[in-house]
Amino acid sequence: MSGTDTAAPPDASMESARRDRRRSQGRRQKIAQRVASASVEMASGITEGAAAAHQLVTAMGQISRGGQMAASAAQQSLAAVNQMANLFVQARAKAGISQRKAESLQAMLAESGIQIAASIAGIEQNAEQQAAAANRVRELENHAANIGKVVETVAYLADQTNMLSLNAAIEATRADATGAGFAVIADEVRLLAETAERNAQRVGELVAEIRVEVTSVTDTITAAAKAALGRAQNAAIITTHLEEIRRAFTAIAGNSQSISIASQEAEHAAREVQRTVEHVAAAAEEQSAATEQSMRSLSEQSQALSQAETAAQELATLADTLRDSHIGSSRNAEEVATISEELSATVQELSGAAAQIMTAIAQISRGTQQQAAASQECSAALGQLERNAKQVESATLDATTRVLQMSGLLSESEAAIRDLVTGVEAALAEGHKSAVKLVSLERLGRQVEKMVNAINTLSIQTTMLAISGAVEAARAGEAGRGFATVAADIRTLSREGDAHIEAIRDTVRDMQDQMLMARRDLEVLVTNGSAGVQRNQSILPVLATIVADIKALHADNEEVNRGMGIILRAATECARGMENTASAAEEASLATSEAAAAGRQQAQGVEDLAAAAEEIASLADELLRSEE
């Protein structure tokens, strides 16, 4: 056969070419159909991704608002807790001062109570001694009465002696010339008798004056003693009040200790609240940072999704072009390949953003859980802090009540001490006056003694005259017999008068001794009583110090009580803030769950996009091969 016989006919070659073109066009149509299908799937994935991104944005907005609310509440709570902690520190410091002050005042009150009790006992003893002095002075009245009776006898004897002097004068007249001596003696006896009688009358007057003064002194001393005793008995209430005040200070010291313990516990609770609030704040900050990161990733996703959506639209257009074109074009294949590469890059961006979002969501979830746990711990610590504040408030209110009671008791005690001092001073003044009167009585006693001595001298002189008269009568013999009888009677009266005068003298001396003893007793009582008054007056500054300290305690209690009121209100606000934080944490937890679901949905969409992108890349390669 020749070469012509072996060559293919022209029609057969053309038919083969047509068949190849039909096969290529078929492949392109299939590829275009698959590209179109992939672009539809990609558009659907992009739509789902956009919807998930929208859900994420909404959830992140809720989480962000909750985080801001928690952060704001945490900041406010932290400031309030710091204030509460400072107030509890101040309360504990004031409680320590109050406890030390109360213990110091207890010692002062105990010492003052002992001093008052000793003073009252001293006043009662002085009153008894005053009563004894009054009894001693009262005995002077009996002595004075006895002296008065004896003086009456002496006056009577002087009167009888005067009568005898008249008889002696008569006898002297009868004796004529021999009675001249008798007359002189009789006249001198008469003069002595008259003088003795006048002296006796003066003694009687002095004794009467003494009796009046004795009665006055006795009544004064007795009244002063009764008044002092009454004041002392009334003052016994002072020791009762001081003991009640001392017991109140014991209770206040106990309250102060309770306040210190409760404040210390509250400080620990406040530190716990601070710690948990700081955890809430830290969790809120972490949550906020994670939310911001998520929002940035979502922004990147939005841009990537927009790019993917553009690529999908271009791909759909190319797919239409490929379906409608009967002739292959390497340019279209290259465009598909380019779009495929862009889609791959976009999917990588979406995948990275999705991973960042899921990491942020996990971080937000942890922060939300930490917030919830910290809020519970904070609420428990706030409850402890509130209980401690109520304990302190109760203790300060009890202390305030006791302080007010003590103020009343101290006022009564101060008034009672002043009344006691006034009463004792009045009694001492009366005692001093009585001592002065006793000095006057001693002076009257000396006058009586002087007058009695004068009467005694007159009696001696009368006796001497009587003896002289007896001598003259003996010389006169029978003529002096009557005068001798009168002289003997005068001597008898004189001796009797001497005995009475000696009795008066002894009584007067006894009176003077008793007056001296009574006066010295009164002077000692006045001296001791004055010292007691000074001791009692020295208690008044102590009470003034206690009153000032009580006022300071009251002011401190009021300040602590106001602080507890602030703490309780702040604790309520903190508790409300923690409730809001817990509520925000719960809402954030729900939003986080929604975000996590949206994130998983978005991740699945990204995987679908990745699969579509891979298929498009494969189709682009196939399309390029088909154009070769």
Side-chain angles (χ1 to χ4, degrees):
M1 289 183 65
S2 62
T4 305
D5 292 335
T6 59
D11 293 338
S13 298
M14 293 176 62
E15 182 65 26
S16 174
R18 283 195 295 271
R19 285 196 301 271
D20 290 338
R21 285 195 298 273
R22 284 195 297 272
R23 284 195 297 273
S24 297
Q25 186 177 2
R27 285 195 299 272
R28 286 196 300 273
Q29 291 292 329
K30 289 180 181 179
I31 292 171
Q33 185 65 36
R34 289 170 62 186
V35 169
S37 176
S39 65
V40 170
E41 290 177 2
M42 182 173 289
S44 176
I46 291 170
T47 301
E48 290 179 1
H54 179 71
Q55 292 179 355
L56 281 170
V57 169
T58 302
M60 290 302 167
Q62 292 179 350
I63 293 170
S64 178
R65 288 191 295 274
Q68 291 174 355
M69 183 186 299
S72 176
Q75 289 298 325
Q76 293 177 359
S77 297
L78 193 60
V81 169
N82 288 334
Q83 182 186 23
M84 288 188 284
N86 290 333
L87 288 172
F88 274 116
V89 170
Q90 294 174 12
R92 185 155 64 93
K94 289 186 180 298
I97 294 172
S98 296
Q99 184 175 0
R100 291 189 294 273
K101 190 173 292 183
E103 291 171 352
S104 174
L105 291 176
Q106 285 182 71
M108 292 174 62
L109 285 166
E111 184 178 353
S112 297
I114 293 172
Q115 189 171 341
I116 284 289
S119 177
I120 291 173
I123 292 170
E124 291 175 346
Q125 184 178 2
N126 283 356
E128 292 175 359
Q129 291 176 352
Q130 278 183 309
N135 291 332
R136 185 176 290 111
V137 173
R138 188 175 290 110
E139 292 178 2
L140 296 176
E141 187 176 357
N142 296 329
H143 290 312
N146 293 332
I147 291 172
K149 292 178 181 178
V150 176
V151 166
E152 289 177 358
T153 302
V154 170
Y156 171 76
L157 293 175
D159 182 65
Q160 292 297 314
T161 301
N162 192 16
M163 293 294 294
L164 288 175
S165 67
L166 294 175
N167 291 336
I170 293 171
E171 291 297 331
T173 302
R174 289 178 180 174
D176 295 329
T178 58
F182 297 159
V184 172
I185 292 173
D187 188 56
E188 290 181 359
V189 169
R190 179 181 59 78
L191 292 174
L192 291 174
E194 290 176 355
T195 301
E197 189 173 2
R198 286 195 302 272
N199 288 347
Q201 291 175 353
R202 178 56 183 158
V203 169
E205 293 172 357
L206 292 173
V207 168
E209 187 176 350
I210 289 173
R211 294 184 67 180
V212 171
E213 290 297 322
V214 164
T215 301
S216 174
V217 170
T218 301
D219 293 342
T220 299
I221 295 174
T222 301
K226 287 182 178 180
L229 187 60
R231 295 293 177 90
Q233 290 172 347
N234 293 335
I237 193 67
I238 299 173
T239 56
T240 302
H241 285 350
L242 293 181
E243 178 59 24
E244 290 180 9
I245 295 171
R246 191 189 67 79
R247 287 198 297 268
F249 273 121
T250 301
I252 287 176
N255 284 336
S256 298
Q257 188 174 10
S258 299
I259 290 172
S260 295
I261 294 172
S263 297
Q264 191 170 11
E265 292 177 355
E267 289 174 36
H268 177 74
R271 287 194 294 272
E272 184 66 18
V273 172
Q274 287 174 330
R275 184 185 65 80
T276 55
V277 168
E278 289 171 355
H279 285 178
V280 169
E285 290 179 1
E286 184 177 354
Q287 193 178 55
S288 177
T291 303
E292 290 177 1
Q293 178 62 40
S294 296
M295 295 301 288
R296 286 193 296 270
S297 297
L298 284 170
S299 178
E300 294 173 0
Q301 269 193 345
S302 177
Q303 293 177 0
L305 285 170
S306 178
Q307 293 173 0
E309 185 178 10
T310 300
Q313 291 174 355
E314 292 176 354
L315 193 62
T317 301
L318 281 174
D320 291 339
T321 301
L322 288 171
R323 279 197 303 267
D324 295 338
S325 177
H326 298 285
I327 301 173
S329 172
S330 61
R331 185 174 59 84
N332 290 334
E334 290 174 356
E335 288 181 359
V336 171
T338 299
I339 293 172
S340 174
E341 291 175 358
E342 292 176 355
L343 283 173
S344 296
T346 300
V347 167
Q348 288 180 355
E349 291 179 8
L350 289 172
S351 179
Q356 290 178 351
I357 290 171
M358 291 304 294
T359 300
I361 289 172
Q363 186 177 356
I364 292 170
S365 179
R366 288 193 299 273
T368 302
Q369 292 173 358
Q370 290 174 358
Q371 277 188 7
S375 297
Q376 290 180 353
E377 293 177 4
C378 185
S379 297
L382 281 171
Q384 178 63 43
L385 190 146
E386 187 174 3
R387 287 191 295 274
N388 292 136
K390 288 180 178 179
Q391 290 176 358
V392 173
E393 186 180 47
S394 176
T396 55
L397 288 175
D398 181 72
T400 298
T401 300
R402 294 182 184 277
V403 163
L404 293 176
Q405 291 175 347
M406 285 191 292
S407 297
L409 293 175
L410 280 171
S411 297
E412 293 178 9
S413 298
E414 184 178 4
I417 290 174
R418 293 187 184 280
D419 181 68
L420 177 63
V421 168
T422 300
V424 173
E425 285 179 338
L428 293 177
E430 293 299 328
H432 180 70
K433 290 179 183 179
S434 297
V436 172
K437 287 184 178 180
L438 285 174
V439 172
S440 299
L441 286 175
E442 290 179 35
R443 188 163 50 250
L444 290 175
R446 287 193 294 272
Q447 291 179 11
V448 170
E449 185 178 19
K450 184 177 180 181
M451 297 301 295
V452 169
N453 289 335
I455 293 172
N456 186 46
T457 300
L458 293 173
S459 178
I460 293 172
Q461 291 175 352
T462 300
T463 299
M464 295 299 295
L465 288 172
I467 293 172
S468 298
V471 172
E472 291 296 328
R475 289 177 180 173
E478 188 64 26
R481 184 176 297 174
F483 191 83
T485 300
V486 173
D489 291 340
I490 290 174
R491 288 179 63 189
T492 300
L493 290 175
S494 181
R495 284 195 298 270
E496 187 176 349
D498 288 341
H500 288 294
I501 289 169
E502 191 62 31
I504 292 173
R505 183 182 292 158
D506 292 340
T507 304
V508 168
R509 288 172 181 167
D510 289 341
M511 285 181 64
Q512 289 178 324
D513 291 341
Q514 287 188 334
M515 288 177 186
L516 180 60
M517 292 174 61
R519 178 171 61 82
R520 287 177 176 173
D521 288 345
L522 288 176
E523 289 174 349
V524 171
L525 291 175
V526 169
T527 300
N528 294 338
S530 298
V533 166
Q534 291 178 354
R535 286 194 298 271
N536 291 334
Q537 288 177 331
S538 67
I539 296 175
L540 294 175
V542 175
L543 294 183
T545 300
I546 294 173
V547 168
D549 287 340
I550 283 178
K551 289 181 179 178
L553 287 175
H554 182 64
D556 288 345
N557 284 331
E558 288 294 315
E559 185 176 352
V560 170
N561 199 36
R562 285 193 298 270
M564 292 306 106
I566 294 172
I567 286 172
L568 288 173
R569 289 191 294 273
T572 301
E573 290 298 322
C574 285
R576 190 177 294 114
M578 286 301 102
E579 289 176 0
N580 293 336
T581 300
S583 177
E586 186 176 355
E587 292 178 2
S589 178
L590 293 174
T592 302
S593 298
E594 294 175 359
R600 287 191 295 272
Q601 182 182 354
Q602 191 182 61
Q604 183 61 46
V606 170
E607 290 179 2
D608 293 341
L609 285 175
E614 288 178 2
E615 184 178 358
I616 290 170
S618 175
L619 291 172
D621 291 339
E622 187 176 347
L623 186 61
L624 287 172
R625 286 193 301 271
S626 69
E627 296 296 331
E628 291 178 355

